[in-house]
Amino acid sequence: MATIKEIKVPDIGDFNDVPVIEVLIQAGDTIKVEDPLITIESDKATMEVPSSEAGVVKEVKIKVGDKVSQGGLILLLESTDAGEPAVASVPTVSPPPAAVSAPAGVAEVRVPDIGDFTDVPVIEVLVKPGDSVKAEDPLITLESDKATMEVPAPLGGVVQEILVRVGDSVSEGAVILTLVTGAVSTVTSSAPVAATSPTTNASPATPLPSPVAPTAAAGVIDETAFRLAYAGPAVRKLARELGVDLGKLTGTGDKGRIIRQDVEAFAKRGDSAPTPSASASASASGAGLDLLPWPKVDFTKFGAIETRPLARIKKISAANLHRNWVMIPHVTTHDDADITDLEAFRVQLNKENEKAGVKLSMLAFMIKAATFALKKFPEFNASLDGDNLILKQYYHIGFAADTPNGLVVPVIRDADRKGVIEIGKEMGELAKLAREGKLKPDQMQGGSFTISSLGGIGGTYFTPIINAPEVAIMGVCKSYWKQVSPDGKQSAWRLTLPLSLSWDHRVIDGAAAARFNVYFANLLADLRRVLV
């Protein structure tokens, strides 16, 4: 006899109030055990919730946008009672209650929020298919030009498939692996239903069926693009069955997710779906400038050479710097700041705080002065987003720190709320972490303005490259003594600090840049101006 059963959200780990981003069934659908019902997405993983029963959907109790937790009602299902003889002989329809405690699900584990980093190389894969992992166990290791970081598991389960390998580059949202999750039955080898129970077949201990091979009519699939496409396991399975390359699709689901309808529509129209042209891709990346090819030279013809690989961090930095230089219309304005009195004050403060271990550099004063200049000229504390200017109400100042592995940019957060001594202490701590390679990603994120100081190394002026998505950067060189005559009659020697302000001409014009530089220089000449 038919009965109406409630199908609820199974154990999904420690997640609560997880948004539903896709409903995969509707009233009247006939479903089997393990058919996906809904797709939910936490801040760390996307997972499909499968059915624990077979039958006909009578009523769907959930919609896209709803938030669910374990035990939440998904739908009402018209199911055949397990005690009816005609069905009892088919264990795949109704497994014995003792064989299952809750259905297993397959979750896509994605790269979480890693700040402003994109295309970060994978340098280590720490798990393999079949491994059992717990929440927070490390899965892969990434290395940007500024930090090395491990990506942890958002929930426990068994690794089903690894979708990245060493050398791949990933960004936030990229799929790392699929994980069989949820509570599943533990059936001993003597259990007579172990070989046929659908729950046992779906358990982590047994590999899931391989994806169906693409049809003969399908084109060649770009496996890397396919793996990184934003789509759930059921959609991926359908795409492989239809021979559809997910890397060519634009998702119409929430947040650009590729859904079943996208795959079916693409399959109907074949390979005619528009894809970005090579020239469009080149333009977006700053390439395709119609330049002559880079010259290939056999340098050994001219003398002895030594070939040394470019350091990994320098290669990554080079790509970011090249993008920023090519895509941002840089202009640099130079000026001088009289820091004679400020230098005397700095030396005095260091003497007064010598026992406390405080040693202030001029950079600490520049960071503090920058916060006042940014408040007076808010367009310098901004980012360009299409046709909109994002004016930031916070003042997080980055400073370039020299390390054995290259330059990194730690960030002093809320510098406007901190005194010079506090800024100096924090700079020292961050610089030490940078030299030891222990800076965390969040200690290099969120900067709204950057100061690049060459300190006492040398130089007079230079053109610092803007640290996108910021719109300006201040460069300073070694201070030097200069004879000046303010009134044209008497001259005096003054300690002078060269300033080089680079700015994004799409946002800032020359007059504003000149005013910013003058104001910044005047603050350094006399910090009492901040009281006015």
Side-chain angles (χ1 to χ4, degrees):
M1 124 185 141
T3 58
I4 301 298
K5 295 188 177 182
E6 293 183 340
I7 305 299
K8 298 182 178 182
V9 178
D11 178 10
I12 54 175
D14 297 329
F15 298 111
N16 290 302
D17 297 328
V18 185
V20 177
I21 64 172
E22 197 173 0
V23 176
L24 304 169
I25 40 81
Q26 58 187 356
D29 284 355
T30 299
I31 59 175
K32 303 185 295 295
V33 175
E34 296 301 326
D35 277 357
L37 304 176
I38 60 173
T39 306
I40 58 180
E41 183 175 65
S42 74
D43 58 338
K44 295 181 178 179
T46 300
M47 60 196 92
E48 289 180 342
V49 176
S51 178
S52 58
E53 301 280 349
V56 177
V57 178
K58 299 301 292 182
E59 184 179 358
V60 179
K61 293 289 189 178
I62 210 164
K63 63 183 183 297
V64 172
D66 287 351
K67 294 184 177 180
V68 298
S69 303
Q70 180 179 347
L73 181 61
I74 300 174
L75 56 86
L76 299 178
L77 189 74
E78 183 177 338
S79 175
T80 305
D81 190 275
E84 191 169 13
V87 179
S89 62
V90 187
T92 56
V93 175
S94 180
V100 63
S101 56
V106 178
E108 285 185 337
V109 178
R110 295 176 176 272
V111 177
D113 179 8
I114 52 175
D116 298 330
F117 300 112
T118 57
D119 297 328
V120 184
V122 177
I123 63 170
E124 193 175 7
V125 177
L126 305 170
V127 292
K128 61 183 182 299
D131 283 356
S132 294
V133 298
K134 303 186 295 296
E136 300 305 321
D137 279 357
L139 303 176
I140 62 174
T141 304
L142 308 178
E143 184 177 67
S144 74
D145 57 330
K146 298 178 179 179
T148 299
M149 61 199 92
E150 289 182 341
V151 175
L155 70 169
V158 175
V159 177
Q160 180 191 60
E161 184 182 5
I162 306 290
L163 299 174
V164 295
R165 60 181 184 276
V166 173
D168 286 352
S169 295
V170 298
S171 303
E172 179 182 346
V175 182
I176 301 171
L177 53 82
T178 55
L179 196 67
V180 179
T181 66
V184 297
S185 61
T186 303
V187 184
T188 63
S189 58
S190 60
V193 297
T196 55
S197 167
T199 305
T200 304
N201 289 342
S203 72
T206 306
L208 297 184
S210 300
V212 178
T215 62
V220 177
I221 289 179
D222 181 340
E223 284 297 328
T224 300
F226 189 99
R227 292 199 305 266
L228 297 179
Y230 191 10
V235 173
R236 291 175 181 279
K237 182 174 182 293
L238 176 64
R240 288 201 182 275
E241 291 173 349
L242 299 177
V244 172
D245 188 347
L246 292 180
K248 295 181 179 179
L249 272 65
T250 300
T252 60
D254 185 46
K255 299 181 182 178
R257 181 183 179 84
I258 299 172
I259 58 178
R260 184 183 300 270
Q261 291 88 333
D262 297 328
V263 175
E264 292 172 344
F266 187 91
K268 287 180 181 178
R269 64 177 180 262
D271 289 333
S272 60
T275 57
S277 66
S279 59
S281 300
S283 297
S285 65
L289 301 179
D290 198 24
L291 301 176
L292 291 174
W294 193 262
K296 301 291 288 184
V297 179
D298 180 6
F299 298 103
T300 59
K301 293 191 303 183
F302 309 109
I305 66 168
E306 176 189 356
T307 300
R308 181 182 301 169
L310 194 63
R312 176 180 180 78
I313 289 181
K314 289 186 179 295
K315 287 193 289 186
I316 299 172
S317 298
N320 291 327
L321 292 169
H322 183 247
R323 175 202 61 197
N324 296 349
W325 182 254
V326 170
M327 301 188 72
I328 299 174
H330 282 67
V331 182
T332 305
T333 302
H334 305 289
D335 213 327
D336 291 331
D338 182 344
I339 60 168
T340 310
D341 296 337
L342 183 57
E343 173 62 12
F345 180 54
R346 183 187 73 83
V347 172
Q348 178 185 338
L349 276 181
N350 282 341
K351 287 182 179 179
E352 292 174 359
N353 294 276
E354 187 174 3
K355 292 183 179 179
V358 175
K359 189 173 182 180
L360 296 174
S361 68
M362 184 58 65
L363 184 56
F365 292 92
M366 288 188 279
I367 289 175
K368 188 63 181 178
T371 65
F372 290 99
L374 293 172
K375 288 182 178 181
K376 186 173 180 65
F377 301 93
E379 67 270 28
F380 286 78
N381 197 53
S383 286
L384 191 60
D385 183 15
D387 293 331
N388 297 319
L389 191 62
I390 310 300
L391 297 168
K392 299 162 189 173
Q393 306 301 313
Y394 53 85
Y395 301 88
H396 303 338
I397 311 299
F399 66 96
D402 191 16
T403 76
N405 295 321
L407 286 176
V408 294
V409 184
V411 175
I412 303 291
R413 306 180 75 83
D414 299 313
D416 59 317
R417 302 178 188 175
K418 298 173 180 175
V420 174
I421 292 178
E422 185 178 358
I423 290 172
K425 287 181 178 178
E426 189 171 339
M427 280 177 54
E429 293 167 358
L430 290 172
K432 182 175 183 291
L433 290 173
R435 289 190 298 272
E436 296 172 351
K438 295 180 180 179
L439 274 178
K440 297 178 180 178
D442 61 355
Q443 293 173 314
M444 297 180 285
Q445 295 172 5
S448 56
F449 184 81
T450 298
I451 298 177
S452 179
S453 173
L454 299 182
I457 298 174
T460 306
Y461 304 100
F462 69 109
T463 301
I465 297 177
I466 297 168
N467 187 18
E470 298 168 19
V471 296
I473 181 173
M474 177 66 77
V476 295
C477 289
K478 182 179 180 180
S479 56
Y480 66 98
W481 287 95
K482 177 182 178 181
Q483 194 171 26
V484 298
S485 178
D487 58 6
K489 297 178 181 178
Q490 294 182 334
S491 63
W493 289 94
R494 308 295 293 179
L495 187 61
T496 304
L497 182 70
L499 305 177
S500 299
L501 177 70
S502 288
W503 37 279
D504 187 335
H505 210 340
R506 297 172 299 178
V507 177
I508 298 163
D509 58 34
R515 292 188 186 100
F516 183 96
N517 248 358
V518 169
Y519 184 74
F520 185 79
N522 287 339
L523 289 178
L524 296 180
D526 189 352
L527 272 178
R528 292 175 299 179
R529 294 176 183 275
V530 302
L531 302 175
V532 179

